[in-house]
């Protein structure tokens, strides 16, 4: 599936330039890290879901199974469809073995409840918190529980119960893990607020922050960081809040406007808004899938974590401190071609390999697609994805799969604008032809890059010595047709 590229938020737009350039002279005062991606391996598709044809499969596997026409249709365009199906009786989407896992979970949760007969078995919030323990933040456990106890088949008028029944548990987990955008939004809306009806945009914002925070928490608790640091980068704003803000950039309010700026936080968001958000931003579904499966230790075989978090690998005997934390890696990785998301191997780091430009060229050339990450003296972290192998030659190379990204102070991806084909350039040791490394795109508008007030100025940023000398560290990684790293 083609990856989706996002622009940064209006609040705190990235201050990185619309081109990345490194000259032989400037590399002497910089630290770099580079990695190439190893050749990708074929991965089997996830198990099919025995459900009606308009329902999707695992939330973490976004590209292994062809979506149905009904799923491709925008949720806003199929609202009439939603209403017509609202009276359908609920049917679990779990495979028999998966349903058996859910049944065992319910037995464990309800076994400690006093005075419950086999026919009226249910469990309380206390039982769920006791089962989860420290694997998830208490706030997220409460959100999950509240959504479960208030669940009823869509269209049924049924008030919330005081405890959670077997049917409510199965329905909630089925919708969250295997449901389509409509079914997921049905549960998410209940996780956002205990009140019925539309929720405020600020409540959606708090839910997004809790979701990202819970993802990081459970990955760290279950030791599933796959070699990446879980802590925040030095001097960076809360990475949890930054990634949550990026997720919220895909929210379209009922009036069609984006959720940008504090003045929009009091706007109402109905189920159609949440459904559209879930459809447009696949990371929301992926994060919920990980939180549920890893938090409850449920349905682990269906969780393709490798597609969400690439494994970080370094040559034997080498260690280095990455410029990227795991949340930044997840976001950047989600924009890479699907076959290159599973493993990032370090190619070059200015901390490990020194500041020689010729060393950099030798380590990144002919290693396949590559992710480059830089940190400047102002603490800004930014980089780009080179879609093809670097070659040392006096011509531009690459294609429209290349993109630039910002990590700090804000998170964003900047795809090709189609203005020209000057994507990648790497040259060294020439007397009359420009030397250096360049990833270069023109902005769609001056507002995309605050440092660039015009296309001419953006072009000058490529070779401006004063800016090049501000580079502090470099990391380069190559995807083993799996991913790249910085």
């Amino acid at each position: 599936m083609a990856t989706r590229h996002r622009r940064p938020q209006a609040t705190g737009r990235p201050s990185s330039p619309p081109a990345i350039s490194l000259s032989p002279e400037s590399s002497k005062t910089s630290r770099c890290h580079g990695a190439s991606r190893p050749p990708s391996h074929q991965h089997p598709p996830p198990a099919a879901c025995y459900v009606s044809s308009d329902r999707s499969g695992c939330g973490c596997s976004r590209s292994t199974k062809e979506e149905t026409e009904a799923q491709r249709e925008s949720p806003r365009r199929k609202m009439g469809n939603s209403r017509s199906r609202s009276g359908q009786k609920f049917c679990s989407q779990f495979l028999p073995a998966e349903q058996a896992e859910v049944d065992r979970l319910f037995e464990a949760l309800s076994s400690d409840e006093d005075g419950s007969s086999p026919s009226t078995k249910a469990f309380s919030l206390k039982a769920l918190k006791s089962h989860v323990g420290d694997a998830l933040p208490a706030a997220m456990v409460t959100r999950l529980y509240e959504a479960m106890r208030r669940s009823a088949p869509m269209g049924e008028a049924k008030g919330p119960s005081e405890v959670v029944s077997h049917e409510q548990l199965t329905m909630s987990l089925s919708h969250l893990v295997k449901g389509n955008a409509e079914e997921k939004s049905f549960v998410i809306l209940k996780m956002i607020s205990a009140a019925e009806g539309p929720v405020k945009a600020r409540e959606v914002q708090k839910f997004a922050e809790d979701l990202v925070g819970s993802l990081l928490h459970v990955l760290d608790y279950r030791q599933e960081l796959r070699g990446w640091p879980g802590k925040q980068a030095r001097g960076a704003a809360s990475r949890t809040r930054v990634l949550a803000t990026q997720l919220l950039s895909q929210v379209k309010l009922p009036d069609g406007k984006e959720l940008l700026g504090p003045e929009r936080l009091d706007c109402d968001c109905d189920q159609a808004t949440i459904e559209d958000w879930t459809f447009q931003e696949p990371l929301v579904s992926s994060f919920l899938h990980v939180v549920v499966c890893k938090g409850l230790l449920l349905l682990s075989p269906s969780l393709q974590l490798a597609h969400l978090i690439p494994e970080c690998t370094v040559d034997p005997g080498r260690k280095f401190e990455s410029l990227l934390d795991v949340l930044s890696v997840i976001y950047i990785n989600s924009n890479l071609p699907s076959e290159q998301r599973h493993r990032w191997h370090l190619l070059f780091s200015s901390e490990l390999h020194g500041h020689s430009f010729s060393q950099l060229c030798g380590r990144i050339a002919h290693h396949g697609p590559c992710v480059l990450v830089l940190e400047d003296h102002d603490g800004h972290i930014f980089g780009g994805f080179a879609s093809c192998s670097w070659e040392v030659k006096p011509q531009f190379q690459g294609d429209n799969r290349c993109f630039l990204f910002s990590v700090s102070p804000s998170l964003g991806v900047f795809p090709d604008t189609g203005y020209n084909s000057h994507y990648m350039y790497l040259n060294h040791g020439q007397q009359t032809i420009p030397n250096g490394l360049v990833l270069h795109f023109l902005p769609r508008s001056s507002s995309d890059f605050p440092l660039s007030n015009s296309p001419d100025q953006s072009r000058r940023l490529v070779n401006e010595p004063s800016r090049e000398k501000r580079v502090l560290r470099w990391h380069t990684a190559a995807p083993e047709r799996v991913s790249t790293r910085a």
Side-chain angles (χ1 to χ4, degrees), residues 68 82 94 168 170 184 202 318 347 355 418 444 449 484:
T68 65
S82 302
F94 292 124
Q168 288 173 316
T170 303
K184 284 183 170 69
R202 67 176 67 256
R318 294 282 196 167
L347 293 180
H355 305 285
R444 296 178 187 273
F449 297 96
T484 51

Side-chain angles (χ1 to χ4, degrees), residues 357-401:
F357 187 75
S358 59
Q359 180 83 278
L360 169 67
C361 292
R363 286 188 168 273
I364 70 173
H366 308 293
H367 280 282
C370 175
V371 168
L372 304 97
V373 182
L374 304 87
E375 180 185 32
D376 67 17
H377 284 280
D378 295 327
H380 300 155
I381 300 176
F382 53 97
F385 170 63
S387 61
C388 307
S389 283
W390 288 100
E391 295 183 40
V392 180
K393 61 182 182 180
Q395 289 95 32
F396 280 94
Q397 48 201 292
D399 56 38
N400 60 8
R401 293 175 299 166

Side-chain angles (χ1 to χ4, degrees), residues 2-21:
T3 56
R4 299 175 55 253
H5 304 309
R6 308 168 182 79
R7 295 192 189 181
Q9 295 298 316
T11 56
R13 292 184 182 276
S15 57
S16 58
I20 297 173
S21 171

Side-chain angles (χ1 to χ4, degrees), residues 73 75-86:
E73 182 183 8
R76 288 194 181 279
R77 295 201 300 270
K78 64 185 181 78
M79 287 310 298
N81 238 4
S82 302
R83 285 192 290 270
S84 67
R85 295 195 334 232
S86 63

Side-chain angles (χ1 to χ4, degrees), residues 43 47 50 53 70 124 141 166-167 237-238 288 326 329 371 377 382 402 421 443 485:
H43 293 267
Y50 292 93
S53 62
S124 64
V141 178
H166 181 274
E167 181 186 24
S238 168
L288 279 168
V326 69
V329 170
V371 168
H377 284 280
F382 53 97
C402 296
S421 58
R485 172 189 182 204

